[in-house]
Amino acid sequence: MFFIARVINRVDNRMIILFGFLLTALSMWQMTQFSLQMGMAPVIFSGLLQGFGLGCTFVPLNIIALSNLPRHILTQGTAIRSLMRNLGGSIGISVLVATLAQNTQVVHSRLAEGLRPDNPLAQAPYLAAPFSLTTPGGIAALNAEVTRQAAMVAYIDDFKLMMLITLASVPLLLLLREERRRPPLVAVAATAAADD
């Protein structure tokens, strides 16, 4: 956000927002590559990209949303913008959590289809030691592993959905109008003095 504050008067705000959307989409694409065996580096790198992308998005959006408001209603405009952002965030989180829960159950049921006593691949030499279809502890361990893998797939599906929503938002930038830049007051005063 500090970097964006320095360049915001020199570059079209829509271009900064576009750059932020693309960085956010790139970070979401990186998150679709997550796995249960990865280290911390992909999480840190994608988190930094996402944070920089969101910083490039929110500062110019606030400026575009509030720059044309008269001063006497600026406080109300800021409050309504915050309300809409919080409401949109809450709806988005609710949709993603519902999608996560549903996808976890769907993937869990698909992964568990092959875990039957009549399946030779779900028997002793192929199924590792803590997992078993014959003991309650082995079944519980197997269920926990299937749930863990199903949750990972569901998270990846959520990351894909967020990436697609971010990319689908890019054409909406065409609806934003860039405010005409006003000349600095010194330049206006100098022009008026020259005319006199």
Side-chain angles (χ1 to χ4, degrees):
M1 288 184 179
F2 293 122
F3 172 73
I4 296 304
R6 292 181 180 276
V7 300
I8 206 154
N9 290 325
R10 298 184 197 127
V11 182
D12 186 351
N13 284 334
R14 292 169 295 186
M15 291 296 114
I16 299 172
I17 296 170
L18 174 65
F19 181 66
F21 277 166
L22 294 178
L23 275 182
T24 304
L26 176 64
S27 73
M28 292 298 160
W29 176 80
Q30 286 181 331
M31 290 180 183
T32 63
Q33 311 302 311
F34 284 178
S35 73
L36 293 172
Q37 288 79 33
M38 69 180 189
M40 289 178 49
V43 176
I44 293 170
F45 187 67
S46 62
L48 287 173
L49 264 183
Q50 184 183 20
F52 194 75
L54 291 175
C56 290
T57 302
F58 282 118
V59 174
L61 271 178
N62 283 336
I63 289 173
I64 289 173
L66 302 173
S67 62
N68 290 326
L69 289 179
R71 286 203 176 272
H72 69 281
I73 61 168
L74 189 59
T75 309
Q76 290 89 347
T78 304
I80 290 173
R81 167 131 171 77
S82 295
L83 174 68
M84 290 296 114
R85 195 175 81 199
N86 289 337
L87 189 61
S90 299
I91 292 171
I93 289 170
S94 300
V95 168
L96 288 172
V97 168
T99 305
L100 178 70
Q102 180 182 7
N103 286 349
T104 301
Q105 291 175 354
V106 168
V107 174
H108 187 282
S109 66
R110 287 186 182 160
L111 289 176
E113 285 175 357
L115 298 174
R116 300 184 317 265
D118 62 338
N119 184 355
L121 295 176
Q123 300 303 320
Y126 302 108
L127 207 55
F131 308 119
S132 170
L133 290 173
T134 58
T135 64
I139 292 173
L142 195 56
N143 181 55
E145 180 61 24
V146 169
T147 302
R148 187 172 81 101
Q149 293 186 17
M152 186 74 237
V153 173
Y155 273 110
I156 288 172
D157 288 344
D158 268 8
F159 296 144
K160 283 181 188 173
L161 178 61
M162 287 188 283
M163 179 186 70
L164 293 174
I165 290 171
T166 303
L167 291 175
S169 300
V170 168
L172 296 176
L173 291 176
L174 297 173
L175 300 175
L176 293 178
R177 287 185 298 135
E178 178 70 12
E179 182 187 6
R180 284 191 175 166
R181 304 207 188 277
R182 297 185 188 108
L185 292 177
V186 176
V188 172
T191 306
D195 290 342
D196 290 338

